[in-house]
Amino acid sequence: MSDRLATGTSSLVGEVGRRPSRTLRSLLLSIAAVGAALALVPLWVGDSGVLMGVAVLGLAFACYTIGFNVIFGSTGQLFLSVGALAGIGGYGGAILADTVGLPVVVSIVLATLASGLTGGLLSFVAVRRSLGIIFTGIITLIFSLTFEALLLGLGNLTGGENGFFIESGANSFLRERIPPYYVMLALVLGFLLVHGLLRRSHVGWAWRALRDDEVTAELAGVDVARYRVYGALIGATMLGLAGATYAFTEGRVSPTTYGFAKVDVVVIVMLAFGGIGTLFGPILGAVTFTIVDEVLIGFGQLRLLVFGALILLLFLFLPQGVIPTVRNFIAKRWVSQAAASPD
Amino acid sequence: MIANVLDGIVLGLQFGLLAAGLTLVYGLGGVLNFAYGQMAVISAMVVVFAIDAGVPALPAVALGLVAGGLLGLLLDQTILRPVYRLQGEARVLLSLLLTLGVAFIVDGFLNWRYPLKALSLFIGGGPVEILGVPMRRGSLVASAITLVTFAALFAFFRFSTLGRAVRSVIEDEEGARLVGIDPARMMRLILIVSGVLAALVAVTRSMVVPVDVQAGFSITVFALIVTVVGGLGSVAGALLAGLILGIVNVIAADLIGTFMSLVILLGAAAVTILIRPSGLLGVKE
Amino acid sequence: MLEVSGLSAGYEGNDVVKDIAFHIDPGEAVMIIGSNGAGKTTLFRSVIGLIAPSSGEVRFQGEDITGVPAQRVVRRGISFVPAERHLFPRMTVLENLSLGAYPKRPDLETMTLVMDLFPRLDERRKQTAGTMSGGEQQMLAVGRALMSNPSLIVLDEPTTGLAPKLAAEAYEALGVLRKRGLTVLVAEQQVPLAMAFTDRGYVLENGRIRTEGTSAKLAADPDVRRAYLGIA
């Protein structure tokens, strides 16, 4: 029966106010290490078209999760439009290439910009109307549902329920078995680098300040609104780029590819598992759940049940995610050892 | 045109009923129940199994309502325990995530085990004419039940001591404690009530269209949208928002087509939230 | 009637008040005075059960009520009027008062008494609490607290923000109730008013009781005069 004042999502986020402790060199080294490890994956599963497809999708989700991490983890905006923003990239790129006839690269760039601007706009509106975290979530959820409804309703443009096959780039290296993996891996590493550098910059400092205590941040001179919109712009751009690139590697787009249930829910769990606000949390989450999902494939509908059970367990026992929990554990051990040793 | 308005009212009443349970739980306890649709579906399944076992329709429905209430109680006593230890935004978020997990578990189980089950309460007899428009009997009975339910809710909150006690917790939790009201007990009561309302949603809806095991999430999402537009914590708001959105939906569907009418509905909801985040009849913070 | 010993309480592990001891006998009027931040509100909240004390004991009419949640404590005959009042803003004056008697239905005699004490409330029976002025809200808060026929009423800074005339009226009403046997515990920053009204007092400073004594003795105490009455 306590009278505690709660501070927003602090009890769920373990990274509030934590300065990244790495030097630039260690940042680059750790990203390179992750890249090297992931680069080896095709050595194991390169023979199977199906498994490579799963791996590419896994990397796409890693990209999505990094983007969501930038928006939610760094600036505290609950954007339930991850799938929709990626879908603007995917469908946008596909339509621009096939229907409008633009070159693939140009299509991807334009679609990415559209997605980024949409994300920025959503954030701008939310910030202007001072919508709290829940209402931002609701508005972005409505946006996602509207996007899905538009996909289904504007059948002539979007292929409706079935989507459509993308003809542009059909003969390019993007459709082969192995190269798409490295393309997506490049995106993942690039996103990690961008996020890592941002965290070390004044932007990252502003983000940490406004996550910690909005009022104090404003008093310290941080334009909270502006930095929130920056975060959304950058995160949404990542989502759009990943969505567009993935579409061209898959060769088709359909409403389920970017649906709320298929993307947003999974991304939230991946990030929560890895650790909201951590740099590598998204990678850990994406890898873990891609593997888990593959393992569960034989279970049919029970996959949903297991997924739900995992969500429950995760938020009941590991609300901060794996990386912060491990970090705290190590820190405590270190402190107690230092205290135990006579100096 | 009149036909559209009447259809809109029928749909609107359903929307309102959908939102009533959800808005009460949020207004009282700051908890977002994302498993609300699944509670409705489970109640529907209880009715289906009862009818299959030979129980006559009315007692079967009663069983379904009891099941709904029990589900609400179960939620309060189990999943929401850790949620109650938090306050404010953290509480809403955790409740959302945990109930989402429960929703997936229920959906996964039902879809795996009973993928084809559906509840359909057929109300016999031909169409009835209202204002010159033939209306299906099922729609009319469903609407009548909904209206009676809302009347009962209003009477409860306005005139009974217990109802006033519940309202007081929504108004000011600490003030309520200071007059001897236990917010936790009120929350438990309201969760049971919301469970019964969820069951009613399933039962009345099944008089219009069959309620199958996949209906869970769409029920929850619609309930959430109507709740937010109506104002979190306001039953009257839920009814008003439901009616408005129902009529808008039907007219839009008639003029434009089903998918785009959904877009209009979502757009209307978004516009309302942006202009007046506290909802039509909600409390301004 | 009320005995507090060794009480410490605070927020998030930090004790705001430490090792508090005081008592109130039936029929008395006792004041707790202290400047802002001294811990008066924390003290009251831990006694009434809105927060749990970290240590110590609270006994009311012989029974141990330490750490008992507020909703149960107020049913034993103690009423609390907090500084922020915590009225029900969209409910009417009548509804607010009726709820004061929860779980019982409001008793006509008590309602009449409250309306006589605060005629302004009688005039505004159907007005919603949120639309009333500060003074009227304060009266409503006190009225609501009285509806349960408490033996002890605890008030936290009841005159804050009230015009002097209204503040005097509030204490007049309490005076009437005292004659009927109500025991009063009040925390005040407006010290002169409290001094005139109460029999005894305690001075709370930085979370501890510094001085205690009869109100007359405290009124004459030079340190008290300097700190709280602005007299050099």
Side-chain angles (χ1 to χ4, degrees):
Chain A
M1 205 192 58
S2 81
D3 213 25
R4 309 168 27 222
L5 303 164
T7 43
T9 56
S10 306
S11 56
L12 293 179
V13 177
E15 288 288 296
V16 173
R18 194 185 165 277
R19 290 186 63 250
S21 52
R22 23 180 83 84
T23 62
L24 182 60
R25 200 170 70 120
S26 74
L27 172 70
L28 294 173
L29 278 177
S30 39
I31 294 180
V34 167
L38 288 174
L40 297 175
V41 168
L43 288 179
W44 292 314
V45 297
D47 288 332
S48 159
V50 170
L51 285 180
M52 277 310 294
V54 168
V56 172
L57 184 60
L59 287 182
F61 268 90
C63 289
Y64 298 156
T65 311
I66 298 175
F68 182 64
N69 196 19
V70 169
I71 302 176
F72 182 50
S74 292
T75 66
Q77 302 173 84
L78 185 60
F79 262 46
L80 298 179
S81 306
V82 175
L85 288 168
I88 291 179
Y91 268 87
I95 292 174
L96 285 173
D98 270 11
T99 313
V100 178
L102 296 175
V104 170
V105 174
V106 174
S107 304
I108 292 182
V109 168
L110 287 178
T112 303
L113 280 177
S115 177
L117 286 174
T118 308
L121 184 64
L122 283 171
S123 171
F124 181 71
V125 166
V127 148
R128 276 297 237 168
R129 300 297 300 156
S130 304
L131 300 179
I133 196 169
I134 300 302
F135 278 92
T136 308
I138 291 174
I139 284 286
T140 49
L141 175 63
I142 292 183
F143 177 76
S144 288
L145 296 173
T146 310
F147 180 71
E148 268 177 86
L150 283 173
L151 287 183
L152 293 172
L154 298 174
N156 290 333
L157 192 60
T158 65
E161 247 176 57
N162 298 317
F164 62 93
F165 289 98
I166 307 175
E167 284 164 15
S168 314
N171 299 318
S172 74
F173 67 96
L174 283 175
R175 301 291 173 84
E176 292 171 28
R177 190 189 298 166
I178 311 266
Y181 183 84
Y182 289 107
V183 170
M184 296 305 293
L185 182 59
L187 282 186
V188 170
L189 298 178
F191 289 173
L192 281 176
L193 186 62
V194 168
H195 193 195
L197 289 175
L198 280 171
R199 274 155 57 103
R200 291 167 44 84
S201 73
H202 75 283
V203 177
W205 176 87
W207 285 347
R208 270 192 306 286
L210 74 90
R211 284 293 282 128
D212 214 359
D213 187 331
E214 218 176 290
V215 175
T216 313
E218 285 274 11
L219 290 175
V222 174
D223 187 340
V224 171
R226 175 180 297 214
Y227 281 97
R228 281 219 156 108
V229 176
Y230 285 170
L233 274 170
I234 295 170
T237 307
M238 290 181 179
L239 293 176
L241 181 56
T245 312
Y246 180 69
F248 281 103
T249 65
E250 265 292 287
R252 75 175 285 217
V253 282
S254 77
T256 45
T257 320
Y258 302 107
F260 179 81
K262 276 273 155 39
V263 177
D264 287 76
V265 175
V266 177
V267 165
I268 291 174
V269 175
M270 283 180 177
L271 184 61
F273 179 78
I276 304 174
T278 63
L279 185 59
F280 291 105
I283 308 295
L284 181 60
V287 168
T288 309
F289 278 90
T290 304
I291 297 176
V292 165
D293 199 48
E294 260 311 289
V295 165
L296 290 180
I297 251 202
F299 282 76
Q301 281 297 333
L302 277 188
R303 275 162 90 192
L304 203 55
L305 191 155
V306 174
F307 194 62
L310 285 175
I311 294 182
L312 271 184
L313 291 173
L314 184 61
F315 286 105
L316 281 173
F317 300 117
L318 261 187
Q320 291 193 354
V322 170
I323 293 183
T325 309
V326 168
R327 222 181 243 145
N328 290 340
F329 181 72
I330 294 179
K332 280 199 199 117
R333 290 284 304 273
W334 188 76
V335 163
S336 64
Q337 273 177 7
S341 61
D343 258 5
Chain B
M1 185 55 168
I2 297 204
N4 278 345
V5 171
L6 287 177
D7 277 341
I9 293 180
V10 168
L11 184 63
L13 284 173
Q14 276 190 1
F15 278 168
L17 189 61
L18 268 182
L22 203 65
T23 201
L24 276 173
V25 167
Y26 188 93
L28 188 72
V31 161
L32 212 47
N33 180 9
F34 235 78
Y36 191 62
Q38 277 72 19
M39 282 165 74
V41 168
I42 295 179
S43 308
M45 290 304 115
V46 166
V47 178
V48 169
F49 284 128
I51 291 182
D52 282 351
V55 178
L58 229 50
V61 166
L63 267 176
L65 296 181
V66 168
L70 286 175
L71 284 170
L73 181 64
L74 187 65
L75 205 66
D76 174 73
Q77 298 290 303
T78 56
I79 296 297
L80 293 182
R81 291 281 120 207
V83 172
Y84 292 147
R85 273 179 244 140
L86 300 175
Q87 303 281 344
E89 274 175 0
R91 176 187 277 210
V92 185
L93 275 177
L94 187 62
S95 68
L96 196 156
L97 292 165
L98 290 182
T99 52
L100 188 66
V102 169
F104 281 143
I105 292 178
V106 171
D107 251 23
F109 176 73
L110 287 178
N111 272 296
W112 171 69
R113 203 72 161 71
Y114 309 108
L116 300 171
K117 283 278 188 200
L119 176 66
S120 201
L121 288 178
F122 181 67
I123 308 283
V128 176
E129 263 209 27
I130 306 267
L131 297 181
V133 178
M135 305 282 296
R136 290 167 51 202
R137 243 173 239 258
S139 307
L140 291 175
V141 173
S143 302
I145 295 179
T146 308
L147 280 169
V148 167
T149 307
F150 270 107
L153 282 172
F154 286 139
F156 173 69
F157 286 117
R158 203 97 220 287
F159 301 122
S160 76
T161 313
L162 193 57
R164 243 177 290 176
V166 171
R167 271 167 65 202
S168 74
V169 178
I170 298 180
E171 298 264 323
D172 190 312
E173 193 180 306
E174 191 164 294
R177 292 175 72 189
L178 291 177
V179 295
I181 297 170
D182 186 345
R185 282 174 92 213
M186 294 300 122
M187 187 61 177
R188 199 179 324 152
L189 174 67
I190 286 304
L191 269 163
I192 295 176
V193 168
S194 88
V196 173
L197 287 173
L200 264 171
V201 163
V203 165
T204 52
R205 185 162 171 72
S206 71
M207 295 177 185
V208 180
V209 297
V211 173
D212 58 33
V213 294
Q214 271 107 18
F217 276 114
S218 64
I219 290 178
T220 306
V221 168
F222 272 98
L224 182 62
I225 292 177
V226 177
T227 294
V228 171
V229 172
L232 296 157
S234 168
V235 173
L239 182 58
L240 183 62
L243 285 171
I244 294 177
L245 290 173
I247 295 178
V248 165
N249 196 12
V250 170
I251 294 184
D254 198 29
L255 294 177
I256 313 178
T258 355
F259 287 121
M260 293 313 281
S261 76
L262 180 58
V263 172
I264 304 269
L265 187 74
L266 291 168
V271 165
T272 318
I273 294 172
L274 288 176
I275 296 182
R276 211 187 137 89
S278 50
L280 293 174
L281 296 179
V283 187
K284 272 208 178 275
E285 287 292 314
Chain C
M1 187 186 238
L2 181 71
E3 280 151 41
V4 174
S5 50
L7 186 74
S8 304
Y11 305 96
E12 312 215 339
N14 297 322
D15 280 341
V16 172
V17 295
K18 306 177 196 51
D19 207 25
I20 303 287
F22 68 91
H23 69 95
I24 306 180
D25 297 322
E28 280 196 300
V30 175
M31 66 178 177
I32 310 245
I33 60 177
S35 49
N36 252 341
K40 305 190 292 296
T41 300
T42 310
L43 174 59
F44 280 4
R45 289 169 71 85
S46 60
V47 165
I48 204 80
L50 286 171
I51 58 180
S54 51
S55 63
E57 202 183 56
V58 180
R59 300 188 81 88
F60 180 66
Q61 291 178 332
E63 281 181 31
D64 188 351
I65 62 167
T66 323
V68 173
Q71 57 264 22
R72 298 219 296 269
V73 169
V74 300
R75 295 206 194 185
R76 294 183 191 221
I78 310 183
S79 279
F80 179 48
V81 183
E84 314 85 12
R85 298 168 203 142
H86 287 294
L87 295 168
F88 308 124
R90 290 183 301 168
M91 296 171 91
T92 64
V93 166
L94 216 48
E95 287 176 316
N96 269 274
L97 289 175
S98 307
L99 277 170
Y102 190 87
K104 307 200 192 77
R105 315 206 72 163
D107 146 9
L108 191 58
E109 203 190 298
T110 320
M111 182 75 85
T112 320
L113 171 68
V114 170
M115 292 301 190
D116 284 340
L117 281 175
F118 303 117
R120 275 203 196 81
L121 292 183
D122 202 359
E123 291 161 26
R124 291 164 170 68
R125 283 169 168 251
K126 299 263 173 155
Q127 191 175 338
T128 51
T131 58
M132 300 200 312
S133 72
E136 290 157 357
Q137 286 187 353
Q138 189 58 42
M139 288 189 240
L140 180 57
V142 176
R144 185 179 68 178
L146 293 171
M147 290 300 296
S148 54
N149 285 316
S151 0
L152 167 67
I153 187 170
V154 180
L155 304 109
D156 190 1
E157 300 197 17
T159 58
T160 310
L162 290 191
K165 180 162 156 288
L166 286 174
E169 271 179 38
Y171 273 104
E172 255 178 61
L174 285 174
V176 170
L177 292 164
R178 272 202 74 192
K179 291 204 182 65
R180 295 170 57 107
L182 183 64
T183 313
V184 180
L185 171 63
V186 62
E188 263 295 3
Q189 269 195 70
Q190 291 201 38
V191 176
L193 273 175
M195 275 189 173
F197 177 75
T198 53
D199 310 317
R200 287 192 299 116
Y202 297 83
V203 179
L204 194 65
E205 238 169 67
N206 290 328
R208 289 184 191 272
I209 305 241
R210 289 279 174 232
T211 328
E212 59 182 273
T214 64
S215 299
K217 193 189 106 183
L218 289 177
D221 182 318
D223 292 327
V224 172
R225 287 165 74 90
R226 201 181 324 121
Y228 302 104
L229 295 175
I231 300 167

